């Protein structure tokens, strides 16, 4: 099977996806490269930096996660960081070459009093000229619209695994809760970052089904993080069997073919990966990474090691993506302010009429 179309498709069947996975490795990578080159500079890699803005003691029971309060991972918990500290880290990330700053909180969903501070973080990080991304758990439409209004470009919320395997990994919220949050984020006008984790003991069908679910999202998520499980002592998955790196690369290539216009991020797990596996991931169409010494709570390759890898492979950081430009953002804010003022006038008139 040769896939030459580069348009977005949302109706991939499992048979089609399995057939891609079953291609000879060289054929699969060749197809992925063709699709990749039709949409992107094949040597440009988008650079994001992560910061945990609230760490540990999470009420959810995600079996992979060192931050879940259900497991003892010896993690030092931290409450919501001060805005200034976040901005300081964002400045450092920008100076180091990141184009996007991703802030993650170990919450099931944000509380309203936290959201006020989070909105301020978004405003100030965006003012530095960085793209902003947050991952705060489930959000409702009011929260999503507040984040969008503050200037949040991307919301990250992963599907994590297939609908069938999901219940083996998380019991405190459902797969369909996750789809609801993604729809809410999209409706609020933000870009979507959604992917999953491989190497959690799932089988090949689960990997196909995860990619099928991601590609069903319409439009496709602009960012698709593919994480290799980081096995953290104390989590229920600490001793799960390793996934063969070649299977991981196949999944990246299939994701690239199925979601041709998305940035596919070679996400967690790079510290444990050989240089050659990472090089294959870029060849398979990965074009985004997390850059900086830590992910949220676990390690990531040191920045100088990544710089050396980029030099060796002739890769360069992608310049800031064309996302909603500042003029469009200002226009959206003005429209929202006008709507708000109109609603207030209507409310005042209603009060006047009733006296
Ligand atoms: N609490 C929020 C949520 O779950 O949506 C945001 C933070 S959560 C840590 C973000 C994502 O990190 C998870 O959905 C999962 O895909 C990824 N992740 C967490 N622990 C991981 C691990 N040990 N290895 C790989 N990815 C991991
Ligand atoms: C994503 O898909 N991976 C990132 C980000 N989105 C938020 C998180 C990886 C976390 C790895 C484990 C840790 O550092 O705590
Ligand atoms: Fe909490 Fe997110 Fe970790 Fe799940 S992945 S335990 S929701 S921080």
């Amino acid at each position: 099977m040769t896939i030459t179309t580069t348009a977005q498709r949302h109706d991939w069947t499992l048979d089609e996806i399995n057939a891609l996975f079953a291609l000879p490795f060289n054929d699969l990578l060749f197809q992925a490269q063709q699709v990749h080159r039709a949409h992107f500079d094949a040597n440009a890699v988008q650079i994001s930096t992560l910061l945990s803005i609230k760490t540990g003691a999470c009420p959810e029971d995600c079996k992979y996660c060192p931050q879940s309060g259900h497991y003892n991972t010896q993690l030092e918990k931290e409450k919501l960081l001060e805005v200034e500290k976040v901005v300081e880290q964002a400045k450092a990330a920008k100076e180091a070459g990141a184009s996007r700053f991703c802030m993650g909180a170990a919450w099931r969903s944000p509380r309203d009093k936290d959201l006020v501070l989070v909105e301020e973080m978004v405003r100030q990080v965006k003012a530095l000229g960085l793209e902003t991304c947050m991952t705060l758990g489930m959000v409702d439409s009011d929260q999503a619209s507040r984040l969008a209004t503050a200037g949040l470009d991307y919301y990250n919320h992963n599907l994590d695994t297939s609908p069938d395997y999901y219940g083996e990994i998380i019991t405190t919220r459902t797969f369909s809760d996750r789809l609801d949050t993604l729809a809410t984020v999209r409706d609020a006008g933000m870009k979507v970052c959604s992917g999953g984790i491989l190497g959690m003991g799932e089988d090949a069908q689960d990997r196909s089904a995860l990619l099928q679910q991601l590609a069903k999202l319409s439009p496709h998520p602009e960012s698709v993080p593919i994480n290799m499980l980081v096995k953290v002592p104390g989590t229920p998955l600490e001793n799960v069997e390793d996934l063969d790196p070649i299977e991981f690369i196949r999944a990246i290539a299939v994701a690239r073919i199925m979601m041709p216009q998305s940035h596919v991020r070679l996400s967690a797990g790079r510290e444990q990966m050989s240089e050659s596996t990472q090089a294959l991931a870029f060849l398979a169409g990965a074009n985004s990474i997390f850059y900086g010494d830590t992910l949220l709570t676990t390690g990531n390759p040191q920045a100088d090691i990544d710089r050396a890898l980029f030099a060796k492979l002739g890769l360069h950081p992608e310049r800031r993506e064309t996302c909603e430009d500042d003029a469009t953002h200002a226009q959206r804010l003005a429209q929202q302010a006008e709507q708000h003022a109109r609603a207030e006038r209507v409310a005042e008139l209603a009060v006047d009429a009733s006296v």
Side-chain angles (χ1 to χ4, degrees), residues 71-176:
Y71 319 121
N72 184 4
T73 59
Q74 312 283 329
L75 181 71
E76 214 166 292
K77 304 173 193 66
E78 232 176 320
K79 52 185 183 13
L80 187 61
L81 292 183
E82 287 160 23
V83 177
E84 299 74 56
K85 289 219 169 102
V86 174
V87 175
E88 217 173 88
Q89 296 288 320
K91 274 187 195 151
K94 187 177 180 197
E95 271 156 31
S99 63
R100 191 179 310 164
F101 195 63
C102 306
M103 296 156 267
W107 287 325
R108 174 177 166 80
S109 51
R111 295 175 303 185
D112 275 354
K113 74 175 176 108
D114 296 321
L115 209 62
V116 178
L117 293 167
V118 161
E119 287 171 301
E120 192 51 31
M121 290 173 192
V122 172
R123 278 192 283 269
Q124 292 200 25
V125 172
K126 197 176 171 76
L128 299 174
L130 283 161
E131 289 184 317
T132 52
C133 176
M134 284 205 160
T135 179
L136 313 172
M138 294 189 281
V139 285
D140 63 27
S141 52
D142 180 51
Q143 293 172 322
S145 113
R146 283 173 60 178
L147 289 167
T149 305
L152 189 61
D153 297 306
Y154 288 80
Y155 196 81
N156 164 252
H157 198 65
N158 290 339
L159 292 181
D160 278 350
T161 191
S162 71
D164 282 352
Y165 197 59
Y166 185 90
E168 301 290 322
I169 301 294
I170 301 136
T171 69
T172 47
R173 72 173 111 138
T174 65
F175 194 83
S176 82

Side-chain angles (χ1 to χ4, degrees), residues 98-332:
S99 63
R100 191 179 310 164
F101 195 63
C102 306
M103 296 156 267
W107 287 325
R108 174 177 166 80
S109 51
R111 295 175 303 185
D112 275 354
K113 74 175 176 108
D114 296 321
L115 209 62
V116 178
L117 293 167
V118 161
E119 287 171 301
E120 192 51 31
M121 290 173 192
V122 172
R123 278 192 283 269
Q124 292 200 25
V125 172
K126 197 176 171 76
L128 299 174
L130 283 161
E131 289 184 317
T132 52
C133 176
M134 284 205 160
T135 179
L136 313 172
M138 294 189 281
V139 285
D140 63 27
S141 52
D142 180 51
Q143 293 172 322
S145 113
R146 283 173 60 178
L147 289 167
T149 305
L152 189 61
D153 297 306
Y154 288 80
Y155 196 81
N156 164 252
H157 198 65
N158 290 339
L159 292 181
D160 278 350
T161 191
S162 71
D164 282 352
Y165 197 59
Y166 185 90
E168 301 290 322
I169 301 294
I170 301 136
T171 69
T172 47
R173 72 173 111 138
T174 65
F175 194 83
S176 82
D177 288 335
R178 292 197 183 239
L179 292 175
D180 288 349
T181 291
L182 290 176
T184 303
V185 164
R186 187 57 94 188
D187 286 349
M190 284 179 282
K191 296 190 184 192
V192 169
C193 170
S194 188
I197 311 177
L198 308 184
M200 296 197 292
E202 77 286 345
D203 63 21
Q205 278 306 301
D206 293 311
R207 289 189 281 279
S208 292
L210 166 66
L211 296 180
Q212 182 185 40
Q213 290 293 325
L214 290 168
K216 259 195 191 171
L217 300 171
S218 179
H220 290 160
E222 283 79 0
S223 264
V224 179
I226 305 289
N227 297 277
M228 180 72 112
L229 175 70
V230 179
K231 296 184 207 176
V232 180
T235 61
L237 296 183
E238 67 172 308
N239 293 318
V240 75
E241 205 181 316
D242 279 342
L243 177 68
D244 180 345
I246 296 292
E247 275 311 299
F248 182 81
I249 299 301
R250 281 185 183 277
I252 296 222
V254 175
R256 161 56 59 229
I257 293 167
M258 292 173 65
M259 293 170 278
Q261 298 166 14
S262 305
H263 278 76
V264 174
R265 182 174 304 133
L266 173 58
S267 198
R270 287 199 304 117
E271 204 184 26
Q272 293 74 21
M273 245 171 237
S274 68
E275 253 185 15
S276 320
T277 301
Q278 293 185 63
L280 278 177
F282 296 126
L283 190 65
N287 61 348
S288 169
I289 57 163
F290 285 123
Y291 176 72
D293 305 350
T294 46
L295 293 164
L296 290 173
T297 68
T298 64
N300 198 42
Q302 302 281 322
D304 54 349
I305 293 185
D306 274 344
R307 276 196 294 272
L309 179 65
F310 270 42
K312 202 187 259 193
L313 300 177
L315 297 173
H316 58 266
E318 185 187 77
R319 62 171 189 79
R320 197 187 139 157
E321 251 182 82
T322 37
C323 62
E324 182 183 56
D325 60 32
D326 294 341
T328 317
H329 180 67
Q331 198 182 3
R332 183 151 59 90

Side-chain angles (χ1 to χ4, degrees), residues 24 32 36 49-50 58 66 141 163 219 231 234 246 281 329 331 333 352:
H36 193 181
T49 291
L50 260 178
C58 182
S141 52
K231 296 184 207 176
I246 296 292
H329 180 67
Q331 198 182 3
L333 286 183
D352 285 351

